[in-house]
Amino acid sequence: MKKIALAFQLNGRPAALEVSPDTLLVDLLRDALDLKGTKIGCREGECGACTVLLDGEPVNSCILPALKVQDRSIVTIEGLTRPDGSLDPIQQAFIDAGAVQCGFCTPGMILNAKALLSRNPNPGEGEIRKALSGVLCRCTGYQKIVQAVQTAAGKAEQVMVYPLSG
Ligand code: FES
Ligand code: FES
């Protein structure tokens, strides 16, 4: 299949490569760009393990053709680490709350939390649970994850400092 030129913003930097029209974004990220933080679970848009931010909004990258991100912004979990190497406050809050067990759901959870706190720095528990509802966790029972997001919300100013793109 003939490859097509694709250019987009990836974690705040320009990315350009050639992809087949049938390439899915999750495979582009993991295989061509070696960003393995984006996980693969169901490959059917059901589990949220493959969540990335597209122009700041969570999407399931396992069902998104890579060519759909032409000229748009993608943020993966790797993009949340700050230029000085420190963690995003949401990442730190997950560690501090013990919200990471096997870790398979964690990138998707954190990116959904990032999108939520970027548009609403002070969400209630119901809003947090709703925002995270597209990501399945088999390990934690969700309570510590919700606590982690609540803790990060208390540091919303820091959460907002890091740009989602650009
Ligand atoms: S792997 Fe994409 S939603 Fe499950
Ligand atoms: S920590 Fe294992 S699936 Fe959530």
Side-chain angles (χ1 to χ4, degrees):
M1 200 176 293
K2 188 171 183 289
K3 292 196 170 185
I4 297 173
L6 171 66
F8 62 108
Q9 286 281 315
L10 177 59
N11 295 333
R13 296 200 176 122
L17 62 174
E18 300 214 317
V19 302
S20 297
D22 60 352
T23 299
L24 294 166
L25 182 60
V26 70
D27 297 317
L28 184 79
L29 293 170
R30 289 178 53 87
D31 299 339
L33 296 164
D34 203 29
L35 295 174
K36 304 279 201 252
T38 304
K39 302 303 180 199
I40 298 174
C42 63
R43 275 196 180 275
E44 294 180 351
E46 297 291 337
C47 75
C50 63
T51 300
V52 298
L53 300 183
L54 171 62
D55 294 339
E57 292 299 321
V59 293
N60 291 323
S61 61
C62 72
I63 53 173
L64 186 68
L67 289 174
K68 292 273 188 191
V69 307
Q70 180 77 44
D71 298 325
R72 301 178 77 180
S73 161
I74 292 292
V75 173
T76 69
I77 191 66
E78 291 88 351
L80 263 60
T81 305
R82 295 172 169 195
D84 67 0
S86 63
L87 296 178
D88 184 280
I90 304 173
Q91 293 174 302
Q92 191 60 54
F94 268 64
I95 294 170
D96 295 343
V100 181
Q101 290 191 22
C102 82
F104 201 75
C105 70
T106 308
M109 290 289 187
I110 289 175
L111 287 167
N112 274 277
K114 182 78 176 176
L116 171 65
L117 296 185
S118 293
R119 69 174 178 270
N120 178 5
N122 193 23
E125 180 174 342
E127 290 168 281
I128 294 171
R129 288 187 179 275
K130 186 175 174 199
L132 302 182
S133 63
V135 188
L136 302 181
C137 177
R138 296 184 186 85
C139 308
T140 66
Y142 298 96
Q143 190 56 41
K144 289 183 176 177
I145 291 173
V146 172
Q147 285 170 4
V149 179
Q150 288 171 322
T151 300
K155 300 173 183 167
E157 201 173 306
Q158 293 175 46
V159 173
M160 295 297 289
V161 164
Y162 184 83
L164 288 173
S165 65

